[in-house]
Amino acid sequence: MTKPELISQLENAKNNYILELAAISLFGSIEAYPILENNNAVFGPYTVEFDQVANLLRNTNDRDIAIKEFLTSQIRSLIKESFELIQDYSKVTGQALLFKAEPWYPFARMIRNCLSHNFRFEFREYDRSLLPVSWKARTIISTMEGQPLALGFFGYVETWELFQEYQNFAQDRLV
């Protein structure tokens, strides 16, 4: 992979996250429900109707749960995929130590691992030796072991800001 390809893939990941934010915005609008009821996805021999989505979104409790689950999948996708793209590029180009030297790297790696393990913190012995690990106003501590990643701790804002760290690093520091 070349650096322009890395930057392009990071931009694609960012665009997917923005599409998710747009979808969540639309899901909260009752004007979207008739559109969903009258549309579907057709691929190959399959048709998936969207009326079930409209029905799900009409119920406030169901909508909140569905949107939270959708959000968590997009957080996982943006943070994990981007981290791994940079990690792979850094290894192949001999810049892994530069990546690992970033002040946000330990936090980002632990969040990436959490996202990969059902949104629960699971620390290896090495991780425990680094704790506590902080980034901005967030600190990962040993008592978080086995705990779920709360969206109040790492949600929309933190996802966007950590991705910005990734993107700036890839653009400005990698060669």
Side-chain angles (χ1 to χ4, degrees):
M1 170 186 337
T2 65
K3 183 173 175 180
E5 289 170 335
L6 171 64
I7 299 303
S8 177
Q9 288 185 22
L10 291 172
E11 191 66 24
N12 289 339
K14 180 175 86 172
N15 289 340
N16 289 340
Y17 188 70
I18 293 169
L19 285 170
E20 177 262 346
L21 294 174
I24 287 175
S25 177
L26 291 172
F27 292 161
S29 172
I30 61 172
E31 291 86 3
Y33 304 161
I35 296 169
L36 289 168
E37 289 173 332
N38 296 312
N39 285 282
N40 51 50
V42 178
F43 48 96
Y46 305 102
T47 299
V48 177
E49 297 179 359
F50 296 152
D51 58 339
Q52 69 184 28
V53 175
N55 290 332
L56 177 77
L57 296 173
R58 280 193 174 90
N59 179 300
T60 304
N61 188 49
D62 291 344
R63 179 180 58 237
D64 291 347
I65 292 168
I67 287 175
K68 179 184 175 202
E69 292 301 318
F70 186 49
L71 167 64
T72 56
S73 73
Q74 295 307 307
I75 288 172
R76 178 187 295 123
S77 179
L78 182 63
I79 294 302
K80 183 180 170 191
E81 178 183 329
S82 300
F83 184 93
E84 291 174 5
L85 284 167
I86 295 169
Q87 181 174 274
D88 290 347
Y89 178 81
S90 296
K91 283 180 184 176
V92 168
T93 61
Q95 299 177 85
L97 291 177
L98 182 66
F99 183 42
K100 292 177 181 180
E102 285 297 305
W104 44 262
Y105 176 85
F107 182 92
R109 189 182 61 76
M110 287 186 193
I111 290 293
R112 178 248 171 251
N113 290 348
C114 179
L115 296 173
S116 298
H117 298 117
N118 293 327
F119 278 77
R120 291 192 178 276
F121 287 100
E122 296 178 9
F123 304 124
R124 296 177 303 182
E125 194 59 39
Y126 173 74
D127 296 331
R128 285 186 200 92
S129 73
L130 299 175
L131 296 174
V133 171
S134 296
W135 169 73
K136 297 204 175 220
R138 302 289 183 243
T139 301
I140 300 171
I141 57 176
S142 62
T143 58
M144 295 169 115
E145 175 80 36
Q147 298 299 309
L149 177 63
L151 290 176
F153 179 78
F154 195 85
Y156 288 114
V157 172
E158 295 77 19
T159 297
W160 188 255
E161 290 177 349
L162 186 56
F163 177 77
Q164 292 300 310
E165 298 270 22
Y166 290 174
Q167 199 170 37
N168 291 338
F169 170 74
Q171 185 67 46
D172 301 336
R173 304 226 335 118
L174 291 174
V175 291

